[in-house]
Amino acid sequence: MRILVTGGSGMLGHVLVRALLTSHEVTGVSKNGNYDTRLCDLTNPEEVKKLFSGRRFDLVIHTAAYSDVDGCERNPKLAHESNALTTKYLAAACRPARVPFIYISTDYVFDGRQTALYSEKDLTCPINVYGMTKLEGEHYAADAPLSVIIRTSWLFGPGNPNNFVNAILARLRSEKAAKVLADQEDSPTYTRDLALAIQKIGQYAESFSKHNPGKEFHDTFQVCNAGVTTRFEMTREIKRILGLREVRVEKLDRLPSEHRPALRPRFASMSTAHYEFLFKTKLRRWQDSLKDYLSENN
Ligand SMILES: NC(=O)c1ccc[n+]([C@@H]2O[C@H](COP(=O)([O-])OP(=O)(O)OC[C@H]3O[C@@H](n4cnc5c(N)ncnc54)[C@H](OP(=O)(O)O)[C@@H]3O)[C@@H](O)[C@H]2O)c1
């Protein structure tokens, strides 16, 4: 397949591009052109049109986003442009040739008041700008005749020193005691596991488009590692896996709001039953994925 991956330099995007390159022709694009990606500012509709002109993609995977949750709160215009409008332009570009379009979304479309796992059908009600603009993106994604929304949560993996696991690792290795927030419950997700799921869903969407000419197709999947935890508990697990006995991990209930302007859903964990049923697979426990990641990267 000829596949366009937006956000090809991002934490998820660069892992996804590498995984796809083994059997597909992949074009990765990003805003600044890192990780061998092509430069393209997706907030500019003319640049998006140019990206598609004279080229036929079999699948478009839109991972690009403004994913800094507090940054979005401080700059809602950029959040709207990066998360909602980019999706609108890409979905429109996919329409004429009926290119299957996958949009990566987030558990932050939920308000976090539920105590049971969120299903794809539960009411969305974001409580911060990031979640609102990602939800707008979900609505725009459905403008493509063959669209799939994949919601995921709390990513970790190689390539981004600021992701939670990488940042906390640096602290555990340099500090005597680390205070870590325990105010949110969620499902950590390893980018490699998510990339594998995206590939399966992509093949499914492409095969649907080939075998059902003229038909529309819209679906939403939730993909995250199994289990629910807090950042505090995850830090203790990292310490345990790596045998870092000297450092103390202490629980922090909340941060002052000037440090964290965006509200977070208290509980945003999602059911992955729809994905697991359709693809006859089981997503790994976050602890097992974390162990793999730590042994691959340390
Ligand atoms: N991180 C998480 O914990 C998490 C949780 C749930 C869902 N998600 C979703 O998962 C997806 C991937 O997240 P991530 O953490 O991997 O993202 P990331 O590391 O922040 O990377 C974002 C990517 O988007 C690109 N980008 C941003 N604005 C762009 C624009 N205007 N034009 C072209 N490219 C642009 C960036 O390019 P440059 O590098 O050149 O700026 C970068 O490649 C996102 O859709 C995010 O909403 C993430």
Side-chain angles (χ1 to χ4, degrees), residues 56-219:
R56 167 85 172 98
F57 296 113
D58 302 303
L59 179 66
V60 172
I61 308 174
H62 183 29
T63 82
Y66 183 27
S67 66
D68 172 351
V69 177
D70 292 313
C72 287
E73 210 68 16
R74 294 189 184 102
N75 195 343
K77 183 172 177 284
L78 181 63
H80 171 71
E81 290 168 353
S82 311
N83 297 339
L85 294 186
T86 58
T87 314
K88 178 181 179 180
Y89 304 146
L90 285 162
C94 286
R95 183 160 268 286
R98 297 175 45 79
V99 183
F101 179 59
I102 295 182
Y103 170 66
I104 306 302
S105 188
T106 169
D107 54 343
Y108 277 30
V109 295
F110 297 117
D111 65 10
R113 288 169 181 227
Q114 205 161 287
T115 48
L117 298 182
Y118 282 95
S119 88
E120 288 82 355
K121 293 191 171 60
D122 280 322
L123 192 71
T124 51
C125 183
I127 57 172
N128 57 38
V129 172
Y130 170 69
M132 287 174 207
T133 54
K134 290 295 292 185
L135 182 60
E136 269 187 88
E138 288 196 4
H139 297 147
Y140 282 129
D143 288 344
L146 302 157
S147 75
V148 179
I149 294 162
I150 303 178
R151 291 189 189 129
T152 189
S153 61
W154 191 8
L155 299 180
F156 66 91
N160 177 350
N162 299 324
N163 82 54
F164 177 74
V165 174
N166 296 346
I168 203 73
L169 251 181
R171 285 181 59 197
L172 291 177
R173 290 198 162 122
S174 62
E175 295 172 14
K176 289 205 173 85
K179 286 193 172 162
V180 188
L181 281 166
D183 60 342
Q184 270 183 280
E185 287 184 296
D186 215 333
S187 305
T189 304
Y190 187 20
T191 49
R192 286 199 205 287
D193 293 348
L194 177 58
L196 198 68
I198 296 173
Q199 286 179 75
K200 288 184 188 177
I201 295 171
Q203 259 150 11
Y204 175 75
E206 196 262 345
S207 152
F208 179 94
S209 96
K210 236 193 235 155
H211 297 108
N212 298 276
K215 272 201 185 161
E216 294 221 353
F217 170 84
H218 304 279
D219 208 347

Side-chain angles (χ1 to χ4, degrees), residues 4 12 23 58 77 141 231:
L4 172 67
L12 171 62
S23 34
D58 302 303
K77 183 172 177 284
R231 279 154 178 73

